[in-house]
């Protein structure tokens, strides 16, 4: 069923002239069915800069990245151990490093 839905989303993308690959159509299938290929293409071409990356910004960023938006993170602070519980993108080995460097997963997630 998921393969059929992804194929249908890819066909819709092709028919609307949007440049969305089959892989992207499979990943963003629900969004494409909800608001269409053109809206997903616009999301994909969006760029957002996060200045400061603690709790709330991390959650907002996660939701945008999962939707296909590209993000850049600017934060000169060091990762603290308590940040690990509130920031989806940080791994334990990032403690002590720069937050922006520790959140490379957020910036790379969008690259399919």
């Amino acid at each position: 069923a998921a393969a059929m839905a992804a194929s249908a989303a890819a066909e819709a993308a092709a028919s609307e002239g949007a440049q969305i690959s089959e892989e992207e159509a499979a990943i963003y299938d629900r969004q494409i069915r909800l608001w269409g290929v053109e809206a997903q293409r616009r999301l994909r071409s969006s760029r957002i800069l996060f200045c400061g990356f603690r709790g709330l910004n991390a959650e907002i960023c996660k939701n945008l990245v999962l939707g296909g938006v590209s993000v850049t993170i600017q934060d000169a602070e060091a990762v603290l151990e308590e940040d690990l519980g509130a920031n989806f993108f940080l791994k334990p080995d990032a403690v002590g490093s720069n937050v922006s460097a520790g959140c490379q997963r957020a910036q790379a997630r969008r690259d399919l």
Side-chain angles (χ1 to χ4, degrees):
M4 288 180 57
S7 178
E11 288 176 24
S15 69
E16 291 186 31
Q19 298 174 345
I20 292 181
S21 70
E22 278 197 40
E23 185 178 9
E24 285 177 297
I27 291 171
Y28 303 119
D29 175 60
R30 288 182 181 175
Q31 291 169 210
I32 291 170
R33 284 187 281 153
L34 180 63
W35 50 64
V37 175
E38 178 60 24
Q40 185 61 40
R41 191 182 61 73
R42 287 181 180 179
L43 278 172
R44 187 183 64 188
S45 66
S46 299
R47 308 285 185 263
I48 295 179
L49 170 65
F50 283 92
C51 297
F53 204 67
R54 298 286 187 229
L56 182 59
N57 275 354
E59 184 64 22
I60 292 168
C61 178
K62 177 191 73 157
N63 292 326
L64 290 170
V65 167
L66 291 174
V69 176
S70 291
V71 300
T72 301
I73 299 164
Q74 183 278 322
D75 192 326
E77 299 294 320
V79 175
L80 305 173
E81 194 161 332
E82 59 258 21
D83 293 333
L84 299 177
N87 191 325
F88 171 81
F89 297 106
L90 294 173
K91 292 198 173 214
D93 63 349
V95 173
S97 69
N98 178 277
V99 171
S100 296
C103 289
Q104 290 177 343
R105 289 175 44 191
Q107 297 175 61
R109 167 65 176 95
R110 178 151 169 327
D111 300 331
L112 296 173

